[in-house]
Amino acid sequence: MTDDRGSSLIGPDSAYSDASIYVDAEAAPRVLGRLRDALGLNKEDGAELTVGPVRVYGEPNDYSTGRHAHPCDFLQWPTVLECESLSGAPAEVVQAVTAVLEGLWRGGFKAVAACGFEDELPARGGIDRYPRPAYVSGVSAASSGSWWRNLISPGKRKGGVL
């Protein structure tokens, strides 16, 4: 059986149509500006970036507590970069989100992607870069797969993607 995920175009209901990248930094415009420089992108994109088939824009995290969060509590980090794609192949989307993550990491940002394809991203979307708690919400992290899924279920949130 041939895996053709890399060659077919994605649709709006595809697991590859969106990803949220949580960043432990204030001010989404500053994060996007530094990312734009790191990736050598056009400065004329304004408040959003285009990386391959992916549109990237930043916003404050609605779930941020306003206090410094532990590295494993990335769902509370103050900035979320929303990555949306309605075109391209899954492999192109993975490549674009990988470029965004790696650009953030090279820039010194702590960043973790939450999406349906994080296992295809480096460091499993970044989660392997930060320590996991031994016990979360009554479920052992070792037996829960992506432990953060036990904290909050992925899906559309106010004004963006979770």
Side-chain angles (χ1 to χ4, degrees), residues 76-158:
Q76 295 178 15
W77 290 352
T79 297
V80 179
L81 299 183
E82 302 294 354
C83 303
E84 297 178 348
S85 178
L86 297 177
S87 66
E92 294 171 314
V93 173
V94 170
Q95 182 178 15
V97 174
T98 294
V100 171
L101 278 171
E102 290 178 343
L104 290 166
W105 295 335
R106 280 190 313 271
F109 291 106
K110 289 190 290 186
V112 174
C115 57
F117 56 92
E118 73 252 4
D119 289 341
E120 298 177 54
L121 298 169
R124 289 188 315 129
I127 200 65
D128 287 348
R129 294 174 62 99
Y130 310 103
R132 288 184 206 98
Y135 191 81
V136 176
S137 300
V139 179
S140 162
S143 66
S144 66
S146 292
W147 62 266
W148 59 268
R149 287 185 180 142
N150 294 318
L151 298 175
I152 192 164
S153 61
K156 298 286 182 184
R157 67 181 180 102
K158 293 187 289 185

Side-chain angles (χ1 to χ4, degrees), residues 3-89:
D3 181 6
D4 65 346
R5 288 184 300 163
S7 62
S8 62
L9 295 179
I10 62 170
D13 294 329
S14 168
Y16 295 89
S17 66
D18 54 52
S20 296
I21 300 177
Y22 292 82
V23 184
D24 193 8
E26 297 287 341
R30 181 178 67 87
V31 173
L32 285 172
R34 288 191 45 200
L35 181 60
R36 180 179 285 115
D37 292 342
L39 297 177
L41 297 174
N42 185 354
K43 303 229 184 260
E44 302 300 319
D45 282 342
E48 64 182 51
L49 307 174
T50 302
V51 181
V54 176
R55 179 177 79 107
V56 182
Y57 60 94
E59 60 185 35
N61 182 2
D62 294 337
Y63 296 107
S64 178
T65 60
R67 60 183 161 74
H68 184 69
H70 186 275
C72 69
D73 291 333
F74 71 90
L75 292 173
Q76 295 178 15
W77 290 352
T79 297
V80 179
L81 299 183
E82 302 294 354
C83 303
E84 297 178 348
S85 178
L86 297 177
S87 66

